Amino acid sequence: MKERLRQILQLGLRECEIMRVNPVYFSCMIAFPIAVMLFFTSLMHSGQPVNMPVGVVDLDNTPTSRRLIRTLNSFQTTKVVAHYPNINEARTAMQRNEIYAFLLIPKKTTSNLMSSHQPKISFYYSNTTLVSGALLYRDLKAMSMLGSASVGSTTMRAKGYTPSQIKSFLQPISIDVHPVNNPWVNYNVYLSTILVPGCMMLFMFLITAYTLGAELKFKSSKAWLKISDDNIFIALTGKLLPQVCIFMFLLLFYLYYMFGILRFPHPGGIVPMLLLTLLTILAAQGFGIFIFGLFPSLRMSLSICSLWSVISFSTAGSAFPIYAMDPQIETLAQLFPLRHYYMIYQTCIFNGYPLSDAWVNILALVVFACLPLFVVKKIKRVMKNYIYIP
């Protein structure tokens, strides 16, 4: 046992020396992860996008139409930045990304309102950027409803209706919205908590595959195995242990930054956070070893890990629910570690449910961490016999 521990320590020190002299490790394990954390959280520091540019085509040009435009401009997420003489110029501006949406107020809108002829106003918005499209649609729809309600309220007051009668007629159902655990509707809470871990898993995939492929590339694989007396399990443990420690430190810093400094909601407590952090690192490294074992080529394994990481953002379910996708996609989503990370996070940390409610996803991450067991013999054979081909 002592001999095994000595070998692991010797391999760990050897790996630390490799990381010290190779700038790839510093970039992918420290510099880029910290930059990603700061980038995404600062990008959405305000919680929601504000003052998004909107245009107006006001063909009516009356006090009522100008009041509608002022109402639209008063919303926090909307800012009227331009007036256009016709719909073609407004559409061209939206295609050039100068504005995200525009409002069309046709001629005789005010006269039709006053004569109860139900005029039609139109709004056009781009859903290329999903968040901006959804928020602007909400503001434009609310503005059009407020405009019609204002005219209706004036007409009903002239007819002698009481304020309570007017309110019950214009808004028969009052909606009281309470977003669960995020009453501010802070998009930083929803997005940064999946984008940052997703990028971290990308770095873990890549650096795990790279560190194994580098042994072949630099013709040091036999010396690596010799330290462990050709025991591939000891060799992998000693080689990856320093990376586990570094990534663990980074993710603990991420947890403190997100939940301690930025005060993101986390009713689940610290225990699920620590368990999820450890499982994430082991699952990502296990998957990286497994891919290298299947495709023992530095270039091929890095390419597959990159592709798998990029696709995992779409299959995680944070932007679009998996259950609304095709059944085949829903099944394939289970093959991505990020999907299970997200399920454990939103179940046990964000919503505060017990870990037993996410046991399937916890088991899935454990399975990912155990995948190297299927390829360790092949990795050992590769390290002893294969010749690196650029």
Side-chain angles (χ1 to χ4, degrees):
M1 185 65 181
K2 290 183 179 180
E3 179 64 20
R4 297 302 186 193
L5 292 176
R6 185 191 65 79
Q7 291 173 345
I8 291 175
L9 178 61
Q10 186 176 355
L11 288 166
L13 293 175
R14 174 181 178 271
E15 188 65 19
C16 289
E17 180 61 22
I18 293 174
M19 291 190 292
R20 186 185 68 83
V21 299
N22 192 336
V24 171
Y25 291 94
F26 176 79
S27 300
C28 291
M29 298 179 66
I30 298 177
F32 289 157
I34 294 177
V36 164
M37 294 179 196
L38 299 177
F39 172 75
F40 281 114
T41 53
S42 61
L43 184 68
M44 297 177 284
H45 70 281
S46 60
Q48 286 190 13
V50 296
N51 295 330
M52 290 183 289
V54 172
V56 172
V57 180
D58 185 6
L59 302 179
D60 195 37
N61 196 24
T62 61
T64 300
S65 65
R66 289 191 289 271
R67 185 169 66 250
L68 291 177
I69 296 171
R70 287 194 298 269
T71 301
L72 177 63
N73 202 33
S74 65
F75 293 138
Q76 182 181 10
T77 55
T78 304
K79 183 178 181 181
V80 177
V81 297
H83 290 71
Y84 301 97
N86 54 64
I87 190 173
N88 290 329
E89 291 191 17
R91 184 178 64 240
T92 301
M94 190 165 66
Q95 291 171 344
R96 291 175 178 172
N97 288 326
E98 297 174 1
I99 55 175
Y100 289 137
F102 67 89
L103 175 69
L104 173 61
I105 303 177
K107 293 181 179 179
K108 298 183 179 181
T109 297
T110 302
S111 60
N112 288 333
L113 274 173
M114 297 307 175
S115 58
S116 301
H117 283 168
Q118 292 184 333
K120 293 183 180 180
I121 63 173
S122 305
F123 49 85
Y124 302 81
Y125 62 97
S126 172
N127 230 10
T128 304
T129 305
L130 188 61
V131 173
S132 64
L135 293 176
L136 290 176
Y137 169 77
R138 181 196 64 186
D139 287 356
L140 289 165
K141 185 177 180 180
M143 183 278 307
S144 61
M145 295 177 64
L146 288 173
S148 61
S150 175
V151 175
S153 175
T154 302
T155 304
M156 294 178 73
R157 279 199 304 269
K159 293 181 179 180
Y161 287 89
T162 64
S164 61
Q165 289 174 321
I166 295 174
K167 182 178 180 181
S168 62
F169 180 81
L170 295 177
Q171 191 179 17
I173 299 175
S174 179
I175 300 175
D176 191 13
V177 181
H178 296 276
V180 177
N181 295 327
N182 189 9
W184 319 276
V185 195
N186 187 337
Y187 281 86
N188 205 5
V189 172
Y190 293 132
L191 297 179
S192 292
T193 50
I194 188 65
L195 291 175
V196 174
C199 293
M200 292 290 292
M201 293 183 78
L202 166 64
F203 295 132
M204 294 177 199
F205 288 165
L206 294 178
I207 207 66
T208 302
Y210 175 81
T211 195
L212 295 176
E215 295 289 351
L216 290 177
K217 180 178 181 179
F218 298 113
K219 300 179 175 62
S220 58
S221 57
K222 294 181 180 179
W224 170 50
L225 289 176
K226 184 178 180 181
I227 298 176
S228 63
D229 293 333
D230 285 348
N231 188 323
I232 188 62
F233 292 98
I234 297 297
L236 287 173
T237 301
K239 188 169 190 60
L240 297 178
L241 185 59
Q243 298 179 23
V244 172
C245 295
I246 293 175
F247 281 123
M248 190 71 182
F249 174 79
L250 280 175
L251 286 177
L252 289 177
F253 168 75
Y254 156 76
L255 293 178
Y256 173 73
Y257 176 62
M258 300 288 275
F259 302 111
I261 298 178
L262 299 182
R263 301 291 182 181
F264 284 6
H266 54 286
I270 190 66
V271 174
M273 292 183 193
L274 297 178
L275 176 63
L276 182 57
T277 299
L278 181 60
L279 285 176
T280 299
I281 297 172
L282 297 180
Q285 289 191 328
F287 183 81
I289 297 171
F290 179 71
I291 293 299
F292 180 82
L294 290 180
F295 306 94
S297 165
L298 179 59
R299 181 187 303 173
M300 181 63 70
S301 59
L302 288 177
S303 299
I304 294 175
C305 286
S306 301
L307 176 63
W308 213 260
S309 302
V310 172
I311 297 177
S312 65
F313 286 101
S314 300
T315 58
S318 59
F320 191 83
I322 293 295
Y323 307 110
M325 298 182 184
D326 291 337
Q328 296 85 351
I329 303 297
E330 184 178 347
T331 302
L332 290 175
Q334 310 309 315
L335 301 178
F336 296 86
L338 186 60
R339 166 63 180 171
H340 301 285
Y341 171 91
Y342 173 69
M343 291 300 295
I344 297 172
Y345 165 76
Q346 63 95 17
T347 301
C348 302
I349 298 177
F350 185 73
N351 289 311
Y353 291 105
L355 289 170
S356 58
D357 286 6
W359 71 269
V360 173
N361 306 105
I362 294 174
L363 179 61
L365 291 183
V366 173
V367 170
F368 278 110
C370 295
L371 285 178
L373 296 176
F374 297 98
V375 295
V376 286
K377 291 184 178 179
K378 183 178 180 180
I379 292 177
K380 181 179 179 180
R381 186 169 63 252
V382 166
M383 292 298 173
K384 297 186 71 172
N385 302 317
Y386 277 30
I387 298 176
Y388 176 75
I389 300 177

